[in-house]
Amino acid sequence: MSAAKSKQAGFWSRFRKNKMALCGAFMILGLVVVAVFAPLIAPYPFDEQDFSVAQEPPSFGHWFGTDEFGRDIFSRIVYASRISLEVGFVAVSIGMFIGGLLGAIAGFYGRLTDNVIMRSMDVLLAVPSTILAIAIAATLGPGLFNLMLAVGIATIPRYARIVRASVLTLRHLEFIEAAQAVGSSDFRIIRKHILPNCMAPVIVQATLGVASAILNTAGLSFIGLGIQPPTPEWGAMLSGARSYIRDYPYMTIFPGLAIMLTVLSLNFLGDGLRDALDPKLKR
Amino acid sequence: MFPSFLVFEFFSYGLEVRVVWRYILRRIVYLVPVFIGISFFVFFMLHMTPGDPAKMILGDTATEESVQELREEMGLNDPFLAQYWRYIKNAVRGNIGKSYITKSSVAHEVSQAFPATVKLALFSIAIAIFVGIPLGIISAIRQYSLMDNIAMGFALIGISMPVFWLGLLLILFFCVKLGWFPASGFDTFRQMILPAVTLSTPSLAIISRISRSSMLEVIRQDYIRTARAKGQVEFRVICNHALSNALIPIVTIVGLQFGALLEGAVVTESVFAVPGIGSLLVEAIKTRDYPMVLGGVLFIGIVFSLVNLAIDVLYAYIDPRIKAQYGGSG
């Protein structure tokens, strides 16, 4: 217990020293607050159309200007943060849960089980993850949940590989043998002894995974898969703004900035977590 | 003593070549289950798509009888695995279905669009390699300098930007504001610059980050100090001694970046109206042309697997550990 505590203390002291990581953590926290309190923060409803102010450049009334329907871009960006965070976290949870479980089973049982699972993962890895997500999203049809599923399934192999690798190093250690000797079931050993010990790389991958899930989501929405109007989504907003790039360039600036800042903060946080969780990996 | 040493050299060279070939052969054999897996995945997805393919091909005005007739003819009433087997047999002959919209062969349209994507991808990876690796190396040599901080700051921004947004910003700045480059098309060199710069940016950022960290690790090693101690010129210490070892993780990343490039190509091509596979996919997605979408996915999967094979083969030549692993005891 005390060893675990000192391990944790070491993690915190290393994490606190990393200004970039702290900055990333605060920005993500801020974004979560914005997403939760979107109705209070946004000055207008996200779908309120007012053609008298259509395509007005940024002003005091409309901080980021208005779109072709006279909707307030700032309000839409605020609301869209909900979608992005939701998709990011749910997609990563899907990938982490299924992938982690498959990886743990593959690593724990070895032999044929391992071979079957990991060769299927190779197949999924043989198609670049966004392309895989495109295939799944196109087949399932539009919709928020389908988008999450598509982005999530595409990340399964990554987690499976990470967890399997950790399980392989743990598999033959004495404490696992001890747990088997006292008659613990395989499931209990995986859940209680193996998974907690391979969380560090999974947490890092998950943080960076949320970042790439958000990028992926924006990309899929940009090419017309996923979120349907009038629900605001950063990628879809950019896709709409594209037609007006010559005359109303501000429409293309702000949604992209929102994506970039979110992903940047998650990358800061992920890098910081990696350095703090495993000082050996420090680059 | 001396001649036998020469003989040994000769044989060990022969062994080395054989070992590499054994490794390559093994990798090629590995491709078979992967191809079967990808094709099964794509076929399964195609099977799951909404709508009746026979109806899609005949259009809304078709009678029920003619739809049933075509279903029978296409074998859509056969069991799933029988259909899959026919799909594979056709795919091997280069037939992966017909477009719902244009009614033309998917394989034909994909192969028409492929050269533009290859050109774009190669141009982009060239930019990423020839700018990214030197940038990473210089950052490593001058660690924590202003130059290092600026380069790595840009690299972080580069991996955090959506590719399509970067493309839109470049269009905004270089086409709309300055008018230096055309905003669409892909025939002249001038038209290729912006799409290639856009697509290369995330890869460039990642390659420079990996080059930096890989180089930082290597230049702390003892043999680098030895090289310096014996009076070797600094440039050669870096380029000959350090780089050859730092290169291994860099090659891995470059290989992985091909996948990222194929992904990025989809949106980049769509932004710049490059007539490649990406634009084909996006168009097919908009018109719900499932055979075209999944045919494109199948094609990209196969190309990506072959690229990975090539990277692994390259690996066998630059990483002595692989030779050791496949050479058994020797």
Side-chain angles (χ1 to χ4, degrees), chain A residues 20 119 122-132 134-136 138-142 215-216 218-220 222-225 228 234-235 238-239 242 245-246 249-250 252-257 259-261 263-265 267-268 271 274 282-283, chain B residues 30 33-34 37-38 41 45-46 48-50 143-144 156-157 159-162 164-165 168-169 171-172 175-177 183 209-210 212-213 216 259-260 262-263 266-267 270-272 281-282 285-286 288 290 293-294 297 300-302 304-305 308:
Chain A
M20 303 259 261
R119 290 299 80 76
D122 283 352
V123 170
L124 286 183
L125 278 176
V127 183
S129 64
T130 308
I131 307 286
L132 197 63
I134 287 178
I136 299 171
T139 308
L140 293 176
L215 273 183
N216 250 340
L220 291 183
F222 183 75
I223 60 173
L225 286 168
Q228 298 305 300
W234 295 333
L238 282 174
S239 175
R242 238 175 110 173
I245 192 164
R246 276 175 202 280
Y250 62 87
T252 7
I253 305 284
F254 298 109
L257 264 181
I259 303 175
M260 193 185 85
L261 287 177
V263 174
L264 194 64
S265 342
N267 281 334
F268 279 158
D271 281 358
R274 182 187 48 214
K282 185 152 178 74
R283 289 137 23 99
Chain B
Y30 266 150
V34 169
I38 300 175
F41 169 78
M45 283 294 167
L46 208 53
M48 298 286 286
T49 52
Q143 195 186 6
Y144 303 132
L156 251 174
I157 292 175
I159 55 171
S160 305
M161 252 187 182
F164 54 92
W165 186 53
L168 291 175
L169 289 185
I171 289 182
L172 194 59
C175 311
V176 178
K177 286 252 154 36
R209 271 163 65 106
I210 298 291
R212 177 179 179 269
S213 63
L216 277 178
L262 287 173
E263 297 174 338
V266 176
V267 282
S270 148
V271 168
F272 289 97
L281 270 182
V282 172
I285 288 166
K286 284 193 178 132
R288 306 202 187 290
Y290 298 115
V293 175
L294 289 163
V297 170
I300 291 176
I302 287 174
F304 186 47
S305 307
N308 279 339

Side-chain angles (χ1 to χ4, degrees), chain B residues 244-323:
Chain B
S244 55
N245 278 303
L247 215 53
I248 291 165
I250 300 176
V251 172
T252 315
I253 285 297
V254 169
L256 288 175
Q257 284 312 304
F258 268 102
L261 279 180
L262 287 173
E263 297 174 338
V266 176
V267 282
T268 308
E269 286 178 8
S270 148
V271 168
F272 289 97
V274 176
I277 291 189
S279 298
L280 195 71
L281 270 182
V282 172
E283 200 45 48
I285 288 166
K286 284 193 178 132
T287 53
R288 306 202 187 290
D289 190 353
Y290 298 115
M292 190 65 97
V293 175
L294 289 163
V297 170
L298 178 73
F299 189 79
I300 291 176
I302 287 174
V303 168
F304 186 47
S305 307
L306 291 176
V307 170
N308 279 339
L309 171 72
I311 299 284
D312 280 358
V313 169
L314 186 64
Y315 239 47
Y317 280 99
I318 65 166
D319 190 346
R321 277 170 301 188
I322 290 186
K323 281 175 198 154

Side-chain angles (χ1 to χ4, degrees), chain B residues 70-91:
Chain B
L70 188 66
R71 279 187 67 86
E72 201 55 51
E73 196 187 311
M74 289 170 74
L76 290 170
N77 298 327
D78 294 353
F80 177 77
L81 283 178
Q83 289 191 42
Y84 173 56
W85 176 238
R86 188 169 39 243
Y87 180 77
I88 288 210
K89 275 199 296 193
N90 284 333

Side-chain angles (χ1 to χ4, degrees), chain A residues 33-268:
Chain A
V33 170
V34 166
V36 170
F37 297 104
L40 299 177
I41 293 166
Y44 300 88
F46 63 84
D47 52 357
E48 188 185 86
Q49 304 190 357
D50 181 357
F51 286 95
S52 65
V53 292
Q55 290 178 321
E56 285 207 350
S59 64
F60 281 114
H62 299 278
W63 293 354
F64 294 172
T66 56
D67 67 7
E68 68 271 33
F69 300 113
R71 295 178 298 197
D72 182 50
I73 292 181
F74 176 71
S75 304
R76 286 179 67 74
I77 287 179
V78 166
Y79 273 99
S81 64
R82 291 183 155 185
I83 303 279
S84 290
L85 288 182
E86 222 176 302
V87 176
F89 285 112
V90 174
V92 165
S93 308
I94 292 173
M96 194 162 69
F97 186 76
I98 302 178
L101 198 67
L102 287 175
I105 292 172
F108 191 79
Y109 291 105
R111 294 167 190 274
L112 185 68
T113 322
D114 183 27
N115 249 317
V116 169
I117 293 178
M118 293 324 284
R119 290 299 80 76
S120 345
M121 293 298 111
D122 283 352
V123 170
L124 286 183
L125 278 176
V127 183
S129 64
T130 308
I131 307 286
L132 197 63
I134 287 178
I136 299 171
T139 308
L140 293 176
L144 181 60
F145 183 71
N146 289 346
L147 187 68
M148 292 173 181
L149 209 59
V151 174
I153 291 174
T155 61
I156 288 176
R158 272 185 242 167
Y159 297 98
R161 283 198 156 183
I162 294 174
V163 173
R164 175 179 174 270
S166 314
V167 171
L168 284 181
T169 60
L170 293 169
R171 179 75 185 85
H172 297 290
L173 293 185
E174 273 142 6
F175 73 99
I176 302 291
E177 213 173 298
Q180 273 170 332
V182 298
S184 300
S185 69
D186 287 353
F187 178 69
R188 190 187 155 81
I189 292 174
I190 291 178
R191 195 169 51 95
K192 282 271 180 187
H193 301 288
I194 289 188
L195 287 183
N197 275 299
C198 52
M199 277 326 276
V202 172
I203 290 172
V204 173
Q205 175 64 42
T207 313
L208 298 172
V210 173
S212 60
I214 288 177
L215 273 183
N216 250 340
T217 309
L220 291 183
S221 303
F222 183 75
I223 60 173
L225 286 168
I227 313 294
Q228 298 305 300
T231 313
E233 201 281 335
W234 295 333
M237 289 174 77
L238 282 174
S239 175
R242 238 175 110 173
S243 333
Y244 308 104
I245 192 164
R246 276 175 202 280
D247 302 315
Y248 308 101
Y250 62 87
M251 285 173 68
T252 7
I253 305 284
F254 298 109
L257 264 181
I259 303 175
M260 193 185 85
L261 287 177
T262 307
V263 174
L264 194 64
S265 342
L266 284 165
N267 281 334
F268 279 158

